[in-house]
Amino acid sequence: MSDALAAEAWAVYRAAECLYDETTVRGAVDRLAGEVTAALAGHNPLLLCPMTGGVVLAGHLLPQLDFPLEFDYIHATRYAGALRGGELTWKVTPTAELAGRHVLIVDDVLDRGITLAALVDFCRREGAASVHSLVLVDKRCRREAAIEADFVGLSTPDRYLFGWGMDYKGYLRNVPGIYAVAEAP
Ligand SMILES: O=P(O)(O)OC[C@H]1O[C@H](OP(=O)(O)OP(=O)(O)O)[C@H](O)[C@@H]1O
Ligand SMILES: Nc1nc2[nH]cnc2c(=O)[nH]1
């Protein structure tokens, strides 16, 4: 990507509002790990990470789930570097067999709900025995698909977010807190 976009991302980062600092996010991930362990240890679950946003959360959650599980990824995107979602584009389906499995989808943010609803539908159509979902952030907004996550880390207002896997035009997924882009004055 261009240096101009990197500079824009840096300016957006500096002007943004920190909604949750790193310590708070890590605390939420610890709690989520406990909840998932209580619900799914012993069920031989398959964790499914929607790329790319789910990768930071999955990387922090996995070592805290101290029981047998499998991990795979899926790739469907509808923002593609934009600040508003469009059509969902499928890029990669999981290589793991989902039939008969207890699937846990682990994603960064539940916003309009279109992506998570499509992922859950996909897993059900593939014959999963059960499908649970976990999101780091549940945005308080008007859903466009009737879905809620089973495990929720944190809640935010309806602002465009970045950090902890969430991007600003492809940048800032690495930021170690959850930030909201500054609103125009
Ligand atoms: O609830 P929705 O409004 O459907 O949005 C939620 C989805 O948006 C983001 O993915 P995105 O399409 O931005 O791709 P990314 O994971 O590569 O950032 C995020 O990772 C969720 O999967
Ligand atoms: N980066 C990012 N991706 C999203 N996908 C849906 N909502 C958001 C958001 O607020 N930020």
Side-chain angles (χ1 to χ4, degrees), residues 78-79 82-83 85 108-112 115 137 139 156-163 165-169 171 173 179:
R78 71 183 207 89
Y79 287 78
L83 306 195
D108 52 353
V109 57
L110 173 60
D111 193 327
R112 268 48 192 175
T115 307
V137 173
K139 224 187 249 192
T156 71
D158 189 7
R159 308 256 310 265
Y160 194 81
L161 309 172
F162 65 86
M166 294 176 283
D167 70 310
Y168 175 83
K169 299 186 181 177
Y171 285 85
R173 293 189 195 274
Y179 287 76

